[in-house]
Amino acid sequence: MKPVTLKQIAEELNISVTTVSKALKDYPDVSLKTKGRVKELAATLNYKPNSFAVNLRTKESKTIGLIIPVIVHHFFANVIKGILSQAEKKGYLVIILQSNESYELEKKQIDLLLRKGVDGIIISLANDTVNYEHLNEVIARDKSLIMFDKIAKTVNCSKVIINDRLAAYKATQHLIDTGCKKIAHFRGSLLPQNSIDRFLGYRKALEDNNIPYDPSIVYICECADKSFKEGEQNAIKLLEEHNDVDGIFINTDLVAIGAMSALQNAGVRIPEDISIVGFSNWFMSSVISPKLTTIDQPAF
């Protein structure tokens, strides 16, 4: 069946299309009797407003673009839940895209969303994003741009983040307070701002406690989709190269759980031999044994 139009309702009731439109919008210059007749017939015919026409008139698409690095990840899964929950309350559709940590794909996705006419874009940057022209283009087109988690400080837009540097400082300080003397750091990729800030927080805590910074016990984890495996590999490498390390601050919980698995398989006791603090408060951190001490990063 073809969609019912305002014209059909108007012809059925022998009134103008303008009157039908005003009646459906509760304009005060239309009588209550006419409003009642129009709304009753519209309900009977199952009339639905033409969203495309409404969008043209209001210059709003009621659509938001969301670009995230990876979907299969506890943190980002909860971010999506929060965004969808709020968008639904306000009558918005959300287009979800995954950049796979690729700057080139991220650029294409920004262009696609702009061509689709979204009202705004929410994004957590890919690990290798170093140029921000595509992000400034969103702002230049007078579209709302919100960054979260992995951000670009030089792009002038709203950002939803925690204080990564302070959180990392507290995580490292906790290890020091529990007696750790030689603390390693499993960090994220070199480029993301949150990875940089967590590293700087770790380093500042060492400095404030007169513990020498040793770059040889800082290990990089590059792949978000292989985080568990990288945690295992870096832990094994750490045992081979620095078996006197007694604490590790790890950039994200999935990497930390991978590290814990490898250390336990090697006969290392946690926390008796090596203490570990993770980051993000992933649900698995509370169900493994021993439970993982972690920094809470609210996602929803």
Side-chain angles (χ1 to χ4, degrees), residues 90-138:
K90 303 292 184 178
Y92 276 79
L93 174 72
V94 181
I95 299 173
I96 303 171
L97 300 172
Q98 177 176 282
S99 68
N100 290 319
E101 300 287 10
S102 165
Y103 165 60
E104 293 300 328
L105 182 54
E106 181 182 284
K107 284 197 300 181
K108 289 178 183 176
Q109 291 173 341
I110 288 280
D111 182 61
L112 171 67
L113 291 172
L114 288 175
R115 285 190 283 113
K116 288 289 183 185
V118 297
D119 295 331
I121 295 174
I122 304 172
I123 184 170
S124 179
L125 300 181
N127 276 344
D128 60 354
T129 297
V130 288
N131 188 297
Y132 308 132
E133 286 182 18
H134 59 308
L135 302 170
N136 287 318
E137 176 66 16
V138 178

Side-chain angles (χ1 to χ4, degrees), residues 20 26 34 70 72 131 135 160 165-166 198 207 224 245 296:
V20 172
D26 274 327
T34 300
V70 286
V72 186
N131 188 297
L135 302 170
V160 181
R165 195 176 301 197
L166 177 61
R198 291 173 197 178
E207 179 187 317
V245 162
D296 186 38

Side-chain angles (χ1 to χ4, degrees), residues 66 68 71 73-89 94 96 148 283 299-300:
L66 170 60
I68 57 175
I71 289 176
H73 188 290
H74 175 71
F75 174 75
F76 289 115
N78 280 320
V79 166
I80 292 170
K81 275 186 188 177
I83 290 170
L84 291 178
S85 171
Q86 190 64 14
E88 186 179 3
K89 289 178 186 176
V94 181
I96 303 171
F148 73 97
F283 78 97
F300 187 85

Side-chain angles (χ1 to χ4, degrees), residues 1-160:
M1 292 176 63
K2 290 183 178 180
V4 176
T5 65
L6 293 178
K7 185 178 179 182
Q8 287 174 260
I9 297 173
E11 289 176 349
E12 185 82 19
L13 298 174
N14 197 27
I15 56 178
S16 70
V17 172
T18 301
T19 301
V20 172
S21 177
K22 285 185 173 184
L24 291 172
K25 294 173 187 172
D26 274 327
Y27 273 55
D29 58 344
V30 178
S31 69
L32 291 175
K33 181 180 178 182
T34 300
K35 285 180 185 178
R37 291 174 63 213
V38 169
K39 289 179 180 180
E40 184 180 355
L41 182 58
T44 302
L45 298 176
N46 196 27
Y47 166 76
K48 303 290 182 186
N50 184 324
S51 59
F52 182 71
V54 171
N55 293 344
L56 284 176
R57 185 174 65 252
T58 62
K59 296 183 180 178
E60 288 183 346
S61 67
K62 301 294 281 186
T63 304
I64 298 168
L66 170 60
I67 301 177
I68 57 175
V70 286
I71 289 176
V72 186
H73 188 290
H74 175 71
F75 174 75
F76 289 115
N78 280 320
V79 166
I80 292 170
K81 275 186 188 177
I83 290 170
L84 291 178
S85 171
Q86 190 64 14
E88 186 179 3
K89 289 178 186 176
K90 303 292 184 178
Y92 276 79
L93 174 72
V94 181
I95 299 173
I96 303 171
L97 300 172
Q98 177 176 282
S99 68
N100 290 319
E101 300 287 10
S102 165
Y103 165 60
E104 293 300 328
L105 182 54
E106 181 182 284
K107 284 197 300 181
K108 289 178 183 176
Q109 291 173 341
I110 288 280
D111 182 61
L112 171 67
L113 291 172
L114 288 175
R115 285 190 283 113
K116 288 289 183 185
V118 297
D119 295 331
I121 295 174
I122 304 172
I123 184 170
S124 179
L125 300 181
N127 276 344
D128 60 354
T129 297
V130 288
N131 188 297
Y132 308 132
E133 286 182 18
H134 59 308
L135 302 170
N136 287 318
E137 176 66 16
V138 178
I139 299 168
R141 294 203 191 186
D142 202 27
K143 301 287 185 180
S144 295
L145 178 67
I146 312 288
M147 290 185 189
F148 73 97
D149 190 41
K150 292 192 283 185
I151 65 163
K153 286 186 174 179
T154 57
V155 176
N156 186 23
C157 69
S158 295
K159 301 172 181 82
V160 181

Side-chain angles (χ1 to χ4, degrees), residues 174-183 211 246-248 274-275:
H174 173 73
L175 290 169
I176 295 168
D177 291 343
T178 55
C180 296
K181 304 294 184 186
K182 189 169 184 179
I183 302 168
I211 297 175
D246 55 6
I248 317 173
I274 295 181
S275 296

